[in-house]
PDB file of all heavy atoms in Angstrom:
ATOM      1  N   ASP A  16     -19.229  20.368  14.605  1.00  0.00           N
ATOM      2  CA  ASP A  16     -20.082  19.254  14.272  1.00  0.00           C
ATOM      3  C   ASP A  16     -20.493  18.487  15.508  1.00  0.00           C
ATOM      4  O   ASP A  16     -21.647  18.037  15.659  1.00  0.00           O
ATOM      5  CB  ASP A  16     -19.300  18.336  13.311  1.00  0.00           C
ATOM      6  CG  ASP A  16     -20.186  17.362  12.573  1.00  0.00           C
ATOM      7  OD1 ASP A  16     -21.285  17.083  13.042  1.00  0.00           O
ATOM      8  OD2 ASP A  16     -19.752  16.850  11.511  1.00  0.00           O
ATOM      9  N   HIS A 207     -14.969  13.861   4.850  1.00  0.00           N
ATOM     10  CA  HIS A 207     -15.609  14.003   6.162  1.00  0.00           C
ATOM     11  C   HIS A 207     -16.475  12.748   6.319  1.00  0.00           C
ATOM     12  O   HIS A 207     -17.553  12.639   5.694  1.00  0.00           O
ATOM     13  CB  HIS A 207     -16.440  15.284   6.162  1.00  0.00           C
ATOM     14  CG  HIS A 207     -17.231  15.560   7.369  1.00  0.00           C
ATOM     15  ND1 HIS A 207     -17.032  16.683   8.148  1.00  0.00           N
ATOM     16  CD2 HIS A 207     -18.233  14.862   7.996  1.00  0.00           C
ATOM     17  CE1 HIS A 207     -17.874  16.679   9.176  1.00  0.00           C
ATOM     18  NE2 HIS A 207     -18.609  15.588   9.099  1.00  0.00           N
ATOM     19  N   HIS A 209     -18.434   9.807   8.398  1.00  0.00           N
ATOM     20  CA  HIS A 209     -19.103   9.411   9.649  1.00  0.00           C
ATOM     21  C   HIS A 209     -18.932   7.921   9.899  1.00  0.00           C
ATOM     22  O   HIS A 209     -18.721   7.126   8.975  1.00  0.00           O
ATOM     23  CB  HIS A 209     -20.582   9.820   9.636  1.00  0.00           C
ATOM     24  CG  HIS A 209     -20.792  11.273   9.940  1.00  0.00           C
ATOM     25  ND1 HIS A 209     -21.836  11.727  10.692  1.00  0.00           N
ATOM     26  CD2 HIS A 209     -20.053  12.364   9.618  1.00  0.00           C
ATOM     27  CE1 HIS A 209     -21.760  13.060  10.814  1.00  0.00           C
ATOM     28  NE2 HIS A 209     -20.677  13.466  10.166  1.00  0.00           N
ATOM     29  N   ASN A 249     -19.213  11.282  13.973  1.00  0.00           N
ATOM     30  CA  ASN A 249     -18.025  11.405  13.117  1.00  0.00           C
ATOM     31  C   ASN A 249     -16.978  10.333  13.484  1.00  0.00           C
ATOM     32  O   ASN A 249     -16.980   9.822  14.593  1.00  0.00           O
ATOM     33  CB  ASN A 249     -17.400  12.782  13.332  1.00  0.00           C
ATOM     34  CG  ASN A 249     -18.280  13.887  12.794  1.00  0.00           C
ATOM     35  OD1 ASN A 249     -18.278  14.155  11.613  1.00  0.00           O
ATOM     36  ND2 ASN A 249     -19.057  14.525  13.648  1.00  0.00           N
TER      37      ASN A 249
HETATM   38 ZN1   ZN B   1     -20.006  15.326  10.533  1.00  0.00          ZN
END
Side-chain angles (χ1 to χ4, degrees):
D16 197 339
H207 178 119
H209 280 218
N249 291 278

